[in-house]
Amino acid sequence: MDRSNQSVVSEFILWGLAHSQNLQVLLFVMFLILYLLIVSGNIVILVLITTDRHLHSPMYFLLANLSFIDMCLSSNTTPKMLSDFLIEDKTISFSGCMFQVFFSHCIAGGEMVLLVVMAYDRYVAICKPLHYFTIMNLKRCTALVLISWTTGFIHGISYLAVVAQLPFCGPKEIDSFFCDMPLVIKLACMDYHNLNTLMNAECGVVAVTCFILLLISYTYILISVHQSSKAGASKALSTCSAHITVVMIFFLPCIFIYVWPLSITWLDKFLAVFYSVVTPLLNPAIYTLRNKDIKNATKRFIGKFLGPKGNS
C-alpha cells in the first residue's frame, strides 16, 4: 500500500464492555468499588510489611513487591475504563494506547518472573530451612526482584518497538476497554497474521516457561516433603496453597488471551477483566486471609495508632 495515501491515526476508539447507559453506570459503580479495594488492600499490605519488623523476611519482601505490581497492573487500565463509563467519546490517544501496550506486558512479564522467584523462596524455606536466611539474603532477594523487573521491561519494550512502528490508517475501533496488543495489531494496514503469530509465540515463551517452572517447583516441594514427613507434607501444602492459587488465576487468563487465543469476543473481555481487575483484588485476599503473621501485624498496627487514644 502506498504510504503517501495513508492517513495518520492519532487516536483509537474503545468500545468498552457495554453500550447501554444504565449498564455502564452499574459497571462504573461496581468497578470503582473493586478498584478502591485493590488499591487500599495492596497499600495496607505494603504499609504493614514496611513498618512491622516481624514481617521483615524474604517472603514478605517478595509479597510487598507483588502487591506493588498488582496495583500497577490494575492502574494501567482500570482508571481509563472507569472514566469511559461516564463519557460518550471513548477515545484514547495513540501515545496513550502505546503506553497501555507497553505497561501491560512490562508488568505482566515482571509478575510472571516474580511468581517464579516466590516459588523458589518457598522451595528454600521448606526444603532447606536451615540455610534459608543464608540463601535468601537481602542482596539476593533484591537481585531477583530486579531481574523480574528487567525481564518485564524487556518484554514490554519488545512489544512496544513492534506495535509503535506499524502503519495505522483506519479503522481505529478496538472492541475492548483497553489497548490490548492482539486487537491493536489487527488495525494495522498490513497482513497482520504472521506478526500476530510471532507476538503470541514470544509471549508464549515467557508465559509457558514460567508456568512450567512453577509447576515443577511446587511439585518438587510437595514430593520432597511428603517423602520425609506426612505431617510436613500437610504443612507444606497449606503453605503453598495460596501461592499455587495465585499462579493459576494469573496464568490461565494470560494463556487464553495471548498464547492460545480463543477469538471469542465476550470471553476475551471477561478474561481481560479477570486478569486486570479480579486477580489484583484476589492476591491480597488470598495471601492475608489465612496468614497469621499479617493478622497479628494488623492488630499491632491498629493498637499502635488507636491504643493510646483508647487508653486516654
Side-chain angles (χ1 to χ4, degrees), residues 39-303:
V39 174
S40 59
N42 284 293
I43 286 178
V44 166
I45 291 177
L46 284 169
V47 170
L48 289 176
I49 294 174
T50 303
T51 59
D52 195 308
R53 60 182 180 84
H54 296 89
L55 301 181
H56 291 174
S57 67
M59 182 181 77
Y60 292 110
F61 173 74
L62 298 175
L63 178 57
N65 279 274
L66 180 65
S67 292
F68 178 73
I69 287 180
D70 280 335
M71 277 199 300
C72 294
L73 180 65
S74 184
S75 297
N76 182 46
T77 58
T78 308
K80 173 61 177 171
M81 175 178 64
L82 289 172
S83 65
D84 283 348
F85 284 136
L86 303 178
I87 60 177
E88 197 166 329
D89 185 24
K90 297 175 174 55
T91 60
I92 183 170
S93 66
F94 182 86
S95 58
C97 186
M98 295 302 105
F99 180 93
Q100 286 192 339
V101 169
F102 168 72
F103 275 96
S104 292
H105 291 276
C106 174
I107 297 167
E111 181 159 348
M112 288 178 188
V113 179
L114 183 62
L115 288 173
V116 175
V117 172
M118 294 179 74
Y120 174 70
D121 171 76
R122 290 300 84 204
Y123 161 74
V124 176
I126 294 173
C127 298
K128 299 182 179 181
L130 298 179
H131 304 283
Y132 177 62
F133 288 102
T134 302
I135 296 174
M136 296 300 294
N137 55 63
L138 180 60
K139 184 177 180 180
R140 178 165 295 180
C141 286
T142 303
L144 291 172
V145 169
L146 288 176
I147 289 173
S148 70
W149 276 107
T150 303
T151 303
F153 178 81
I154 295 173
H155 182 60
I157 206 70
S158 65
Y159 276 83
L160 179 63
V162 173
V163 177
Q165 297 300 319
L166 293 177
F168 296 101
C169 56
K172 56 182 182 179
E173 291 85 9
I174 299 175
D175 191 5
S176 184
F177 61 93
F178 76 107
C179 286
D180 202 4
M181 185 272 299
L183 300 179
V184 175
I185 289 180
K186 291 180 180 180
L187 300 180
C189 300
M190 56 176 284
D191 185 2
Y192 64 85
H193 293 91
N194 290 336
L195 178 61
N196 200 35
T197 301
L198 180 63
M199 292 290 97
N200 286 339
E202 196 269 343
C203 190
V205 169
V206 177
V208 174
T209 300
C210 290
F211 190 63
I212 291 174
L213 287 174
L214 286 163
L215 290 179
I216 293 173
S217 298
Y218 287 119
T219 301
Y220 186 81
I221 290 172
L222 297 177
I223 292 176
S224 298
V225 178
H226 180 72
Q227 291 174 346
S228 60
S229 168
K230 290 186 177 181
S234 176
K235 183 178 180 180
L237 181 60
S238 176
T239 303
C240 294
S241 61
H243 293 256
I244 295 172
T245 303
V246 168
V247 166
M248 298 304 292
I249 65 176
F250 179 79
F251 274 89
L252 289 181
C254 288
I255 289 174
F256 285 112
I257 292 173
Y258 300 108
V259 183
W260 188 20
L262 301 176
S263 298
I264 304 173
T265 302
W266 70 266
L267 183 58
D268 288 342
K269 289 185 179 182
F270 171 78
L271 292 174
V273 169
F274 192 91
Y275 159 78
S276 59
V277 179
V278 179
T279 299
L281 176 65
L282 290 179
N283 281 358
I286 290 171
Y287 279 114
T288 58
L289 286 179
R290 296 174 58 188
N291 190 306
K292 292 182 180 179
D293 292 336
I294 295 290
K295 290 180 180 178
N296 291 333
T298 303
K299 293 177 182 178
R300 286 191 293 269
F301 185 83
I302 294 174

